[in-house]
Amino acid sequence: GENVEQHPSTLSVQEGDSAVIKCTYSDSASNYFPWYKQELGKRPQLIIDIRSNVGEKKDQRIAVTLNKTAKHFSLHITETQPEDSAVYFCAATTNTGNQFYFGTGTSLTVIP
Amino acid sequence: NAGVTQTPKFRVLKTGQSMTLLCAQDMNHEYMYWYRQDPGMGLRLIHYSVGEGTTAKGEVPDGYNVSRLKKQNFLLGLESAAPSQTSVYFCASSYPIGGQPQHFGDGTRLSIL
């Protein structure tokens, strides 16, 4: 089955700096990669996703890049703000699969 | 439109007791999932369902049972609760996978004493 690895497990940045979280996957058939943000005590919420026919996608301060050849994808947050502090999860799945495979999460702290 | 609703939100059980967690979704999603989330271990899939009347095991199914009698509901049962089942349980639903995200409920915080 698919194996998704996520790094780093914790990340601290100064407010205004950029944050990058990286994930690798093992199944070359995976073609959909969502990112979720989970604030303390809350549900995971989708913040951005990317499909394998796209190399990069941006939504305001958030961007995701995908390298299919290397089987890795990354979340980029620019101009970080304290409200970006949360746990971020990456995931991968295939067109015909029944399951999402999640990374173990990155705890991001933005220091004011 | 409530999305995914989980009940109860909190529960404390004694070892050996049984209980059922209810997940309801109003988005007409075919797929539904139960995860458990423990500190430092991310989301681990317990069971899932790809349609009414069907269920399948995930990564950590032992000690749990599920039922999907109606499309909108997915029940997670603990027959004999153990302290190792202390966790936060999340339900999620989605359209059939093919580039469709999961929508999560607010979670159930379960403590087994």
Side-chain angles (χ1 to χ4, degrees), chain A residues 31-34 36 38 40-46 49 51 87 89 91 93-105, chain B residues 2 4 31 33 35 37 40-43 45 48 50 57-59 90 94 96-107 109:
Chain A
N31 60 0
Y32 175 63
F33 308 91
Y36 290 85
Q38 186 179 26
L40 189 63
K42 301 288 184 64
R43 70 175 77 182
Q45 291 196 297
L46 179 74
D49 56 11
R51 292 167 176 77
V87 177
F89 292 97
T93 189
T94 65
N95 248 349
T96 56
N98 297 328
Q99 300 182 35
F100 286 83
Y101 297 89
F102 285 86
T104 50
Chain B
V4 179
Y31 289 12
Y33 310 81
Y35 294 91
Q37 186 174 38
M41 300 192 73
L43 292 158
L45 183 64
Y48 64 98
V50 299
K57 294 180 180 180
E59 178 186 358
F90 285 99
S94 73
I97 292 178
Q100 300 296 329
Q102 291 182 318
H103 299 261
F104 286 85
D106 285 333
R109 188 173 297 275

Side-chain angles (χ1 to χ4, degrees), chain A residues 6 14 17 23 31 33 38 71 78 97 104:
Chain A
Q6 183 172 346
Q14 291 292 135
D17 287 350
C23 289
N31 60 0
F33 308 91
Q38 186 179 26
K71 293 188 211 166
T78 59
T104 50

Side-chain angles (χ1 to χ4, degrees), chain B residues 14-61:
Chain B
K14 294 181 179 179
T15 298
Q17 287 185 319
S18 64
M19 79 161 295
T20 300
L21 281 63
L22 172 64
C23 176
Q25 52 94 5
D26 61 3
M27 295 173 283
N28 202 33
H29 285 165
E30 289 290 335
Y31 289 12
M32 296 187 75
Y33 310 81
W34 276 107
Y35 294 91
R36 61 178 288 172
Q37 186 174 38
D38 302 297
M41 300 192 73
L43 292 158
R44 294 189 291 169
L45 183 64
I46 305 171
H47 286 280
Y48 64 98
S49 168
V50 299
E52 182 178 319
T54 71
T55 63
K57 294 180 180 180
E59 178 186 358
V60 289

Side-chain angles (χ1 to χ4, degrees), chain B residues 48-108:
Chain B
Y48 64 98
S49 168
V50 299
E52 182 178 319
T54 71
T55 63
K57 294 180 180 180
E59 178 186 358
V60 289
D62 293 343
Y64 305 95
N65 56 76
V66 289
S67 64
R68 183 102 181 267
L69 298 180
K70 293 183 178 180
K71 184 178 182 178
Q72 63 268 35
N73 295 338
F74 195 28
L75 279 63
L76 177 71
L78 286 73
E79 290 187 346
S80 180
S84 61
Q85 295 177 304
T86 293
S87 188
V88 180
Y89 292 85
F90 285 99
C91 176
S93 69
S94 73
Y95 290 112
I97 292 178
Q100 300 296 329
Q102 291 182 318
H103 299 261
F104 286 85
D106 285 333
T108 295

Side-chain angles (χ1 to χ4, degrees), chain A residues 39-106:
Chain A
E39 297 177 354
L40 189 63
K42 301 288 184 64
R43 70 175 77 182
Q45 291 196 297
L46 179 74
I47 54 172
I48 196 167
D49 56 11
I50 191 167
R51 292 167 176 77
S52 60
N53 59 344
V54 175
E56 182 176 0
K57 182 177 179 180
K58 294 182 73 173
D59 182 3
Q60 300 183 336
R61 297 185 296 107
I62 294 173
V64 57
T65 58
L66 172 65
N67 183 326
K68 288 180 62 179
T69 303
K71 293 188 211 166
H72 68 71
F73 56 112
S74 300
L75 178 71
H76 305 255
I77 306 174
T78 59
E79 301 173 20
T80 54
Q81 302 168 2
E83 52 264 39
D84 295 328
S85 296
V87 177
Y88 292 81
F89 292 97
C90 63
T93 189
T94 65
N95 248 349
T96 56
N98 297 328
Q99 300 182 35
F100 286 83
Y101 297 89
F102 285 86
T104 50
T106 296

